Amino acid sequence: MKLLMIATALTGFACADSLPLIPLPVSVTAREGAFEFSAGTAIRFDRDLKTEADLFAADLQALTGTAPKTAAEELRIFLHSEIRLDLDAAADLPAGGYKLVISPGAVVVTGKDSSGVYHGTRTILQLLPPRGAAIWKDETPARLPALEITDYPRFGWRGMMLDVGRHFYPVADIKDFIDWMAFHKLNTLHWHLTEDQGWRIEIRKYPKLTEVGAYRESSPPYGNRKSDDGVRYGGFYTQDQIREIVAYAAARHITIIPEIEMPGHAAAAIASYPELGNTDIPGYAPKVMTRWGVHPYTFAPKEETFRFLEDVLGEVCELFPSKFIHIGGDEAPKTQWRESKFAQEVMKREGLKNEEELQSWFVRRIGKFLKSKNRRLIGWDEIQEGGLDQSATMMVWRDAKWARHALALGNDVVMATTSHTYFDYYQNPAAAELAKGDEYEAIGGDLPLAKVYSYNPASVAETPAQEKQILGTQAQLWTEYAKDMKKVQYLAFPRIAALAEVAWTPHESKILDDFLSRLDGIMKHYDAGKLNYCKPAGPPGKEGRDGSRPESPVGGKP
Ligand code: ACM
C-alpha cells in the first residue's frame, strides 16, 4: 500500500490516496517520472498477441476517439510513443500473470501467456482517465505514473454466475457484462441456462425445449412475489448466438461454463417433453413455472431421460469448449421420486438406500458421459448427499462444512457460499432499498460490500494440499428480481469489484479502506460506462461502507 502512495506522490497522479486499481496488484514499485499517453501512442505487439492488441486498440480508441497505430514486433516502423505487448512463457510467474513497466520512454506489458498480457492491458485502462474525461477532449497527454508492477491471480477460477432462466437478457447485454467482468480481471462466466421458469438454449435435436420450454404464461411482478402479472414471457439463445458469445468471451480470456440443471429445476424441460418426468405419480401435469421458489418436477431416472440428457450435453459440449460442464443438482425435491413406483424400482434394482443415493447414481451416470467427452462434471453441493463421485467438482453454496467434507474426500471445490457471494441479496438495508420503489426489491438477505470484501475462500482448507483443491470463487446473480440488465448491474456492482479482489489479490494484502478509496477511481469508469451501479453510502469507514449498519427490518429469508 505504501508503494502505491509513493507512486502517487511522485507523479501527482489524480487519485488522492492510491492508484485506482482493482483488483490490487501483487506488487507495485514506484519509479520516477511519467509516460505521456496520447492519441498518437501506438501499440507494438508480439505476433501471437494480435487479438489482445486489437482489443486494446479498440479500448484506447474509445477513450481518445482515434484508432492507435498497431504494429507487429517484426515491423521495424519507428513509433515515437508506444506501448509494447510481449510474451515470455519462461517468466517466473503463475498462469495469467504479467509484468507492467511504465517509464517515461515506453510502456511494456510482458505476459506469462496471452491472458497475462490481456490482464496487463486492463491495468493500463484503469490507470488512464475514463472515457469522456475532459482530458480526452483537448490536446493534453494523459500521464501514466512510472512504475513496475508484477501481478498474478490468487485463484484460477474467478467467476460470476448469471441466471438467464428466470429472466432473459439480449446478446448485447451479455457482451457488455462480459466486458465489465474482463475489466475486473474475472475469467469465468458460469451461465445458468435452464430453469423451472425457462429453458434458454437452442438444442437442435429437441426443438420443443425452446418452442415450449422457453416461455411462461406469467411472472410475479416486483413488489408482490405471490402474485402474477399474466404476461407471457420468454426468449432463448440460438446456437449461432451462443457461439458468438463464447467467442466474444474467449477473446477476453473468459471461459463460459454452461449449466444444464438436473434432476431438479427442470420443469421447463419436462413441460416440453412430459415423458421425461415421473409420469406415474398422482396429478402429473408439468408446465413452465410462473412463480419463483423450488418446484417438485424432477427428471425420471429412466433410460429415455439419460438418452435425452446425453444428447443435450453432446450439443452443449460442441458449443462450449470449457473443461467443466455444470449439471446443477441443487434443490431437487425428492417428493416425486418417493411417489413414483418406477423410481422406487430403480432404487431397488440398483441397491440404493434412499432418494439422495438415487441422485448420486444419476449424477455418476452423467459424469461418466461427460468423461467420455473429455469434460469434467461440476455441480452444486447437493451432489454429495448420496455419495460424491471422486471425479466430481463441487460448487459450495450452502455452508462451508460441505467444502470441508469434499476437501477431505480429495475433491476439488469452487467456493460460492450464500454468506459472501449471493449478489441477489440486498447490499443496503432492505427498508432503505424498498423505500426507493418496488423495482429495488431483492430476494432478501443482507450482503454489504464490506462483507463480500472480507471473504477468504481458502479459509476452509486445513492443509496446503487442500488449499490447492480450492479452484477459486464466484458470485451468483440469481435473477428472479432482475427483469433487465440495468437491475443486474445494480445487484452486481460494485460488489463485483470486491469479489474480483477476493479472487485475485493475496488475502493478506487486502485492506478495506484502501479498497474503498481505490473504488472511488473505479466508479469513475462505471459512471463513464453508464453502469447502473449501487452507490456505496457515505465515505469510507462510515456506516454503510464498513459493513456496520442497522439490522435490516424488511426482506424475507432468501
Ligand atoms: C442455489 O442457490 N440453489 C444453488
Side-chain angles (χ1 to χ4, degrees):
M1 234 58 57
K2 277 210 181 69
L3 291 174
L4 288 173
M5 292 181 198
I6 292 166
T8 305
L10 287 174
T11 62
F13 195 81
C15 187
D17 297 310
S18 52
L19 297 174
L21 293 175
I22 291 179
L24 180 71
V26 172
S27 132
V28 182
T29 308
R31 297 286 182 232
E32 255 177 73
F35 175 85
E36 298 202 334
F37 173 86
S38 70
T41 299
I43 300 169
R44 186 186 290 280
F45 60 94
D46 178 299
R47 67 164 75 197
D48 290 334
L49 295 171
K50 174 138 177 46
T51 303
E52 289 71 23
D54 286 348
L55 286 173
F56 189 40
D59 292 326
L60 295 179
Q61 182 176 1
L63 295 179
T64 67
T66 305
K69 281 202 179 63
T70 58
E73 60 186 348
E74 62 269 25
L75 295 178
R76 304 238 159 256
I77 306 165
F78 175 74
L79 301 163
H80 82 280
S81 168
E82 63 179 31
I83 297 175
R84 286 204 294 278
L85 307 184
D86 279 339
L87 270 178
D88 179 7
D92 185 20
L93 285 170
Y98 68 94
K99 282 185 197 293
L100 168 63
V101 179
I102 300 177
S103 55
V107 175
V108 183
V109 181
T110 308
K112 170 81 174 176
D113 45 34
S114 56
S115 72
V117 173
Y118 184 72
H119 295 140
T121 61
R122 299 310 89 184
T123 298
I124 295 171
L125 289 173
Q126 289 191 354
L127 288 171
L128 287 168
R131 190 186 291 210
I135 196 167
W136 301 124
K137 297 196 181 71
D138 58 36
E139 299 294 300
T140 324
R143 302 178 82 230
L144 285 169
L147 50 73
E148 285 185 34
I149 287 178
T150 301
D151 201 14
Y152 49 86
R154 180 179 179 203
F155 293 110
W157 185 306
R158 305 180 301 281
M160 290 300 303
M161 190 283 294
L162 180 64
D163 164 17
V164 295
R166 274 55 177 259
H167 284 104
F168 172 79
Y169 312 101
V171 171
D173 284 350
I174 303 286
K175 288 182 174 174
D176 185 61
F177 190 75
I178 286 169
D179 283 337
W180 283 111
M181 283 180 62
F183 182 75
H184 294 84
K185 300 188 176 79
L186 295 174
N187 71 346
T188 305
L189 174 59
H190 165 184
W191 204 4
H192 186 82
L193 285 161
T194 70
E195 256 307 335
D196 291 314
Q197 296 85 1
W199 181 283
R200 306 282 175 229
I201 171 173
E202 178 192 13
I203 298 295
R204 296 246 154 98
K205 194 155 182 189
Y206 297 94
K208 284 198 267 178
L209 285 171
T210 42
E211 287 164 13
V212 176
Y215 298 90
R216 61 177 179 257
E217 293 307 319
S218 179
S219 313
Y222 283 145
N224 193 354
R225 57 185 72 185
K226 292 202 166 63
S227 72
D228 310 285
D229 66 8
V231 180
R232 184 172 155 84
Y233 178 93
F236 65 92
Y237 303 97
T238 66
Q239 294 206 348
D240 282 346
Q241 288 174 325
I242 287 183
R243 276 188 213 97
E244 182 186 332
I245 289 170
V246 167
Y248 187 90
R252 288 151 183 81
H253 295 278
I254 290 175
T255 301
I256 303 192
I257 315 269
E259 179 180 354
I260 304 295
E261 276 269 21
M262 63 189 82
H265 286 288
I270 297 169
S272 310
Y273 293 95
E275 62 274 25
L276 301 176
N278 300 288
T279 52
D280 60 348
I281 62 168
Y284 182 71
K287 69 179 187 82
V288 182
M289 292 297 155
T290 56
R291 292 277 181 90
W292 314 135
V294 175
H295 297 284
Y297 279 88
T298 49
F299 285 118
K302 54 185 161 195
E303 289 311 307
E304 205 174 344
T305 303
F306 289 112
R307 261 199 311 280
F308 164 82
L309 288 171
E310 290 180 6
D311 288 342
V312 167
L313 291 172
E315 291 193 33
V316 165
C317 286
E318 278 174 24
L319 291 167
F320 294 91
S322 61
K323 188 74 185 167
F324 284 99
I325 303 290
H326 202 300
I327 57 91
D330 59 316
E331 298 178 324
K334 304 298 184 288
T335 42
Q336 293 197 343
W337 282 355
R338 264 183 225 117
E339 285 174 350
S340 161
K341 210 159 153 260
F342 178 82
Q344 292 297 315
E345 276 164 11
V346 172
M347 284 168 54
K348 218 177 282 155
R349 186 189 77 209
E350 299 296 329
L352 305 169
K353 284 201 288 296
N354 53 37
E355 289 73 18
E356 284 70 28
E357 286 195 5
L358 180 56
Q359 176 163 343
S360 287
W361 173 83
F362 193 114
V363 170
R364 260 196 303 279
R365 281 197 61 158
I366 296 296
K368 263 195 210 120
F369 173 76
L370 289 176
K371 195 157 177 224
S372 77
K373 296 270 172 200
N374 199 23
R375 306 301 178 100
R376 289 181 65 184
L377 178 148
I378 183 166
W380 297 107
D381 57 50
E382 285 93 331
I383 63 170
Q384 50 72 44
E385 283 176 353
L388 184 61
D389 195 69
Q390 176 110 67
S391 63
T393 297
M394 212 167 85
M395 186 166 271
V396 178
W397 71 279
R398 291 179 301 177
D399 194 299
K401 75 176 180 213
W402 300 119
R404 288 192 197 95
H405 175 70
L407 292 172
L409 290 173
N411 293 69
D412 288 341
V413 304
V414 173
M415 296 301 290
T417 40
T418 53
S419 59
H420 292 79
T421 70
Y422 267 44
F423 286 5
D424 56 335
Y425 291 6
Y426 285 105
Q427 54 193 312
N428 290 317
E433 288 300 295
L434 289 170
K436 296 187 227 166
D438 283 348
E439 68 274 26
Y440 285 84
E441 185 184 21
I443 197 166
D446 183 33
L447 183 55
L449 180 64
K451 185 163 184 197
V452 179
Y453 193 72
S454 71
Y455 194 36
N456 180 8
S459 65
V460 287
E462 280 164 13
T463 63
Q466 287 194 354
E467 217 162 298
K468 289 210 179 72
Q469 290 165 242
I470 298 169
L471 305 183
T473 186
Q474 67 175 38
Q476 332 316 314
L477 283 164
W478 300 107
T479 59
E480 289 93 332
Y481 301 90
K483 286 186 197 294
D484 54 27
M485 188 48 72
K486 285 282 165 211
K487 181 71 180 288
V488 170
Q489 292 175 348
Y490 186 79
L491 293 170
F493 298 89
R495 289 187 287 198
I496 209 170
L499 189 270
E501 197 145 310
V502 165
W504 180 284
T505 303
H507 186 63
E508 53 285 2
S509 302
K510 285 160 54 201
I511 296 172
L512 178 63
D513 275 350
D514 181 69
F515 165 75
L516 292 172
S517 67
R518 283 180 282 115
L519 184 60
D520 285 338
I522 291 297
M523 286 192 296
K524 294 194 174 82
H525 293 275
Y526 293 174
D527 288 329
K530 302 205 173 5
L531 196 65
N532 184 40
Y533 64 99
C534 175
K535 292 194 175 50
K542 291 280 159 39
E543 182 182 296
R545 291 193 71 172
D546 67 356
S548 64
R549 60 212 190 125
E551 282 296 296
S552 92
V554 186
K557 204 165 154 13

